[in-house]
Amino acid sequence: MRQNPSFVLGDIPELRRLIERNPWVTLVSDTADGLVASHYAVVLDPDREDLTILGHVGRPDEAIHELGSHELLVIVQGPQGYISPSWYDANPAVPTWNFVVAHLRGIPEVLSDEENYRVLGNLVEHFEKRMPEPRLMEGTPANAEYARQISSGTVGFRLTPTRVTAKRKLSQNRPAETVERIIDQLENGTEYPNQALADEMRRARR
């Protein structure tokens, strides 16, 4: 991913926030059979304060990705959307795309079956806890028995990135009044409404 100094995202708390809010990621491996991509949910390792993530793949994706034998690229995609030049000013301009994205690279550690089961339980709890009556993996004996059966079809991993490239392109190179017009169109316009992107643009201005 080409970098521009104006758009570099290197703040760890902001990167952690990006991962927390956008857990559905793309996993990319350069294998002996060529490039492979899969899509799974990840969470930050609760025992770490860095960008270590925990996740899992369904069998046989661990074999297809050759998981643990080489570098894995994890793409975290945040809010993104089209920006019309009509939202700028009268000067000549072209359309663009605003976005927030991070690339995490490293060799993943393949987890033991027991640790994978624990990670799966934490993953379920992480998302299910918002529900009025959460359905947890160990919520009932029947749930626990079923979860044990299903978990055997997955392989867990922990990835501590050794290389991170992140970019937050949110019109930082535009005048303040132009940015306000863009945000207004994203919040109140009818063509390309995008509240999540507008929120990120406001956050980037703080």
Side-chain angles (χ1 to χ4, degrees):
M1 178 168 57
R2 182 176 62 85
Q3 275 292 22
N4 179 318
S6 299
F7 304 140
V8 170
L9 176 58
D11 184 67
I12 296 298
E14 283 298 301
L15 285 165
R16 287 176 61 87
R17 175 179 173 272
L18 176 66
I19 296 168
E20 287 173 349
R21 291 182 170 234
N22 303 277
W24 186 249
V25 303
T26 301
L27 311 178
V28 182
S29 296
D30 187 5
T31 73
D33 294 324
L35 291 174
V36 175
S38 298
H39 310 273
Y40 286 95
V42 299
V43 294
L44 290 164
D45 188 334
D47 298 326
R48 305 282 294 269
E49 295 183 355
D50 56 10
L51 300 178
T52 298
I53 56 174
L54 297 167
H56 72 281
V57 299
R59 298 180 188 275
D61 278 3
E62 88 288 356
I64 294 172
H65 276 271
E66 301 169 350
L67 199 67
S69 64
H70 51 64
E71 191 174 60
L72 179 70
L73 168 63
V74 180
I75 302 174
V76 185
Q77 177 68 66
Q80 49 79 29
Y82 177 74
I83 305 298
S84 169
S86 66
W87 300 346
Y88 293 169
D89 48 34
N91 295 323
V94 295
T96 190
W97 210 274
N98 278 1
F99 59 89
V100 185
V101 68
H103 293 177
L104 313 178
R105 295 178 176 86
I107 299 176
E109 170 196 355
V110 177
L111 305 180
S112 68
D113 291 344
E114 278 304 310
E115 190 169 13
N116 177 46
Y117 184 78
R118 180 178 63 81
V119 168
L120 288 172
N122 291 340
L123 182 70
V124 171
E125 183 178 4
H126 177 78
F127 294 106
E128 192 67 15
K129 63 186 178 185
R130 297 185 186 181
M131 303 303 293
E133 296 181 10
R135 294 281 296 272
L136 305 179
M137 282 175 51
E138 297 283 342
T140 68
N143 280 354
E145 181 180 357
Y146 180 72
R148 283 284 179 184
Q149 296 172 5
I150 293 299
S151 68
S152 64
T154 69
V155 175
F157 68 88
R158 175 184 290 106
L159 177 74
T160 300
T162 52
R163 291 194 291 162
V164 177
T165 308
K167 193 170 183 178
R168 180 165 56 183
K169 180 182 175 294
L170 299 172
S171 301
Q172 299 98 315
N173 57 333
R174 294 286 174 179
E177 59 270 21
T178 300
V179 175
E180 280 301 323
R181 280 198 298 273
I182 295 171
I183 292 174
D184 180 68
Q185 287 296 324
L186 293 172
E187 290 182 328
N188 303 304
T190 57
E191 294 83 7
Y192 293 99
N194 192 330
Q195 187 62 55
L197 184 57
D199 291 344
E200 287 300 312
M201 290 183 65
R202 287 196 189 282
R203 185 178 183 86
R205 297 188 65 193
R206 295 174 189 159

